[in-house]
Amino acid sequence: MRITSPDIGADGRLADRHALEHDNQPPTLRISGVPEGTAELAIVCHDPDAPVPWGFTHWTLYGVPADTTEIGPGADSRYRAGTNGFGKEGYGGPRPPEGHGPHRYYFWVYALDRPVDGTPSLRRFLDTYGDAIVEQNRVVGIYER
């Protein structure tokens, strides 16, 4: 499975429009090569560089059909958006602490052999559906304030 994004430049930088304090718009993710037998896709954006023990979850999105080839702005209203680390449903863009340096934002796409019930947190999703992951891949963006 291949994940690309026209919104993440060659240097990996995410444009300000993707940040929480600007337009808070998720980047477009292009998905190809989804394995046969995939029941649905799940999308996660996670910042492992956040200064908290488990990193920071910026987005969980469930119920994405296996034949989806592009995810981007408006996805929260088309699929099931879970609660992000800011305590709100849907995409919550980068907002690293000022002066903390560059943070990496992993946009994961998971191909699952069974559908996800509800909108679990990232940890609950991985604990409950880890055995349902047929394939996974990601694209990484970088943002700094």
Side-chain angles (χ1 to χ4, degrees), residues 58-90:
H58 288 267
W59 199 20
T60 56
L61 194 65
Y62 304 107
V64 179
D67 62 353
T68 301
T69 58
E70 190 169 286
I71 293 282
D76 288 340
S77 63
R78 285 193 299 274
Y79 311 110
R80 294 191 322 274
T83 303
N84 60 42
F86 298 111
K88 300 187 178 199
E89 284 185 2

Side-chain angles (χ1 to χ4, degrees), residues 39-63:
E40 75 175 42
L41 303 173
I43 314 295
V44 169
C45 176
H46 189 73
D47 171 7
D49 301 315
V52 292
W54 299 103
F56 194 88
T57 301
H58 288 267
W59 199 20
T60 56
L61 194 65
Y62 304 107

